[in-house]
Amino acid sequence: MRRSWDWFSGLSEASKIALIGVVITTVGGGVFGVINAVIPVLTDGGKDDNSEAKPQSSVQASKTPGRNVPSATTTPPTNQPPESGSPSSPDAPAPSATLNSDSKAIQYTGPVRIAGTGPDLDVAPTPKIDDSGQDVRLQLIDPPRINGYGVTNSPSLALWTGSAMPNRQQCSNQLSTQGVPTVEVKKGTVICVQTDAGRIAVVTVTSTSNDFSTGEMAQVTVWSEVSD
């Protein structure tokens, strides 16, 4: 007992504190816990090193009865690559373009000039200016008015005021219910047209002028199907 006290008295202050703390925290572990706690202090050799007086790691503390210390887990990297096909993936496929259900029946789409002599919209693959076969022409210039030369005894123009561009069936319905022979136009005016051969077209005015030779420029789509 005397030797133990002399040995304890010879320890550094840091080692004494460490020994007392470890014995207290490991007392519930029985004899083996005390032995395991004393061994590091005996190997201290009386050194006054603050680094060895630090508390034991969380792994050793987990051996203390009555304490639940979670086991170490591997944290997944935060910069994991996105899953294939996700919006942020560089190889994600671009969304497919959605076409109108009757787009395959389109005969022509592109620009036309509607002047004192207008285009024959029945000509494929591209409408041509033709005085004898014109389907629309510029009738007045102030304000600009477009006249239809479509199916005999049937109004061949109809103003379209919908928020979206019409398809063929919508234009056909508009012509059968609201057809007129002449329409006053300005930039942005949309007109449904029935051609001399009975085809349906939609015309969007893109520019106007006060000249019969210059006339109006428009974007037109002509469907190939001929109405009954």
Side-chain angles (χ1 to χ4, degrees), residues 15-173:
S15 298
K16 293 176 181 178
I17 295 173
L19 177 60
I20 295 172
V22 171
V23 171
I24 292 174
T25 57
T26 58
V27 68
V31 174
F32 292 104
V34 175
I35 293 173
N36 288 333
V38 172
I39 289 175
V41 179
L42 293 176
T43 58
D44 175 73
K47 295 180 181 180
D48 189 8
D49 189 344
N50 291 331
S51 62
E52 297 187 14
K54 294 180 180 179
Q56 300 299 312
S57 65
S58 59
V59 176
Q60 182 176 350
S62 65
K63 299 178 182 179
T64 304
R67 296 181 60 185
N68 295 323
V69 179
S71 59
T73 57
T74 303
T75 303
T78 58
N79 57 343
Q80 292 181 347
E83 296 181 3
S84 176
S86 65
S88 60
S89 175
D91 59 349
S96 300
T98 302
L99 300 178
N100 191 287
S101 59
D102 55 3
S103 61
K104 292 182 179 179
I106 291 176
Q107 176 173 293
Y108 171 78
T109 182
V112 296
R113 184 182 299 279
I114 305 173
T117 300
D120 183 349
L121 300 177
D122 289 313
V123 177
T126 305
K128 294 182 178 180
I129 301 297
D130 184 354
D131 185 49
S132 62
Q134 59 189 339
D135 292 299
V136 288
R137 73 177 181 92
L138 184 61
Q139 184 185 42
L140 296 174
I141 57 175
D142 191 17
R145 290 178 183 270
I146 289 178
N147 183 248
Y149 275 74
V151 179
T152 306
N153 298 325
S154 177
S156 56
L157 304 179
L159 183 66
W160 177 261
T161 58
S163 58
M165 290 296 291
N167 57 31
R168 183 189 180 281
Q169 187 59 52
Q170 288 173 320
C171 258
S172 180
N173 294 342

Side-chain angles (χ1 to χ4, degrees), residues 159-214:
L159 183 66
W160 177 261
T161 58
S163 58
M165 290 296 291
N167 57 31
R168 183 189 180 281
Q169 187 59 52
Q170 288 173 320
C171 258
S172 180
N173 294 342
Q174 191 81 347
L175 284 161
S176 63
T177 58
Q178 301 184 42
V180 293
T182 304
V183 174
E184 182 177 331
V185 300
K186 60 183 179 180
K187 183 177 180 180
T189 299
V190 179
I191 309 168
C192 291
V193 179
Q194 186 169 22
T195 71
D196 184 58
R199 291 184 174 85
I200 303 297
V202 58
V203 174
T204 303
V205 177
T206 55
S207 68
T208 61
S209 73
N210 292 324
D211 187 284
F212 275 108
S213 298
T214 304

